[in-house]
């Protein structure tokens, strides 16, 4: 009744930005990501008859109330499926640098889906795990797989076909992510709230939906053809459109800071010198710079000396969620 699993974070190349069903976590449109190595979360779960309540910890310390509620609700899904009422002890350990503000709910819920289902005696395949992880955090359904991954929107009202599948195994095409950390601490507007406000109030939301469909088609082709320029241009354009959509909400949502813009400018200048590098930004100020393996050192050096960048992380491609222990 105990298990340990690990999963990696992912960076969205075509972003998920908006739900059509909040409780089932069903997206308005599909998305494509790259699973990263080096940014992982390990989760241990033990169902225990002696527990009166779930005991949720992060790095050994009791989790905050909001996170406790969210994890317990997720465990309820597993309990329902395994027909058990047992409470669980959950602890997670992350390799994401503390206070970087680089939240990784994708890695955490992908690992939790695998560890909790295994500890409850369920043996779920990748498709079922993806469906389950999605309900913890949308982007987590993509972290079940390694390499390039697409989360299909699906059509079914119960969400049964809203799952992720792998487009390309890790290292089949060496695209890397150099992350410039441009802030710290918790973001002011969570992706959950940012999406909701964008769907409900952004004057640009209908245009975003149309753009996302187009970007998905272009990105699939770029990946199939191993065309880095097409991948980079599409990812950068898609990120700018997502942030434009958030800026068009009421009240507006701005995730960027001065550091974010400084990195974007530096990357444009790098491109002018012939280095192939493109920016993408999730719901926060940090910039992911996508570049082929051979130009990682030049990109890293160019970002490290920017005054508003307080750290640079290099990530290659990571594998899917893995079960480390089960008993
Ligand atoms: O999975 P969530 O609810 O943390 O949302 C992720 C949203 C973005 O990171 C901005 C985009 C994405 O596709 O991952």
């Amino acid at each position: 009744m105990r298990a340990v699993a690990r999963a990696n974070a992912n960076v969205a190349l075509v972003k998920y930005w908006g739900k059509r069903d909040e409780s089932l976590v069903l997206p308005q449109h599909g998305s494509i990501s790259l699973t990263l190595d080096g940014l992982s979360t390990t989760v241990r779960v033990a169902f225990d008859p002696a527990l009166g309540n779930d005991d949720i910890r992060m790095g050994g310390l009791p989790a905050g109330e909001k996170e406790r509620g969210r994890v317990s609700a997720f465990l309820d899904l597993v309990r329902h499926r395994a027909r058990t009422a047992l409470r669980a002890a959950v602890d997670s350990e992350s390799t994401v640098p503390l206070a970087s503000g680089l939240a990784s709910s994708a890695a955490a819920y992908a690992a939790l889906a695998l560890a909790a289902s295994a500890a409850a005696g369920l043996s779920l395949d990748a498709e079922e795990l993806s469906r389950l992880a999605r309900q913890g955090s949308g982007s987590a359904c993509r972290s079940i797989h390694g390499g390039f991954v697409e989360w299909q929107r699906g059509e079914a009202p119960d969400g049964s076909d809203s799952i992720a599948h792998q487009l390309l195994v890790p290292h089949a095409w060496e695209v890397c992510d150099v992350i410039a950390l441009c802030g710290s601490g918790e973001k002011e507007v969570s992706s959950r709230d940012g999406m909701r406000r964008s769907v409900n109030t952004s004057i640009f939301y209908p245009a975003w939906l149309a753009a996302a469909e187009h970007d998905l088609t272009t990105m699939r082709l770029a990946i199939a053809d191993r065309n880095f320029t097409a991948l980079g241009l599409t990812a950068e354009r898609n990120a700018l459109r997502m942030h434009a959509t958030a800026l068009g909400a009421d009240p507006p949502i701005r995730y960027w800071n001065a550091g974010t813009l400084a990195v974007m400018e530096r990357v444009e200048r790098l491109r002018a010198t012939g280095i192939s590098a493109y920016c993408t930004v999730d719901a926060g100020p940090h910039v992911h710079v996508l570049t082929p393996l051979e130009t990682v050192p030049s990109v890293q050096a160019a970002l490290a000396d920017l005054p508003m960048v307080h750290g640079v992380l290099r990530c290659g491609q990571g594998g899917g969620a893995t079960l480390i222990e089960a008993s």
Side-chain angles (χ1 to χ4, degrees), residues 115-136:
S117 58
L122 299 168
S123 171
L124 305 184
D125 62 18
E127 201 171 279
E128 292 170 302
L129 279 172
S130 178
R131 203 176 285 126
L132 175 64
R134 186 198 79 222
Q135 293 176 75

Side-chain angles (χ1 to χ4, degrees), residues 15-18 27-31 153 205 208-209 212-213 216:
K15 312 287 183 195
Y16 145 55
W17 197 246
Q28 290 270 358
H29 54 83
S31 55
R153 176 193 189 276
Y205 202 79
W208 161 253
L209 274 183
E213 287 310 325
L216 280 168

Side-chain angles (χ1 to χ4, degrees), residues 38-73:
L39 299 177
S40 69
T41 302
T42 304
V43 177
R44 6 187 111 246
V45 177
F47 286 98
D48 183 350
L51 288 173
N53 275 310
D54 291 324
D55 178 18
I56 318 291
R57 290 168 185 271
M58 288 163 104
L61 301 171
E65 202 183 320
K66 205 167 139 198
E67 205 50 49
R68 278 204 318 266
R70 201 168 151 192
V71 172
S72 271

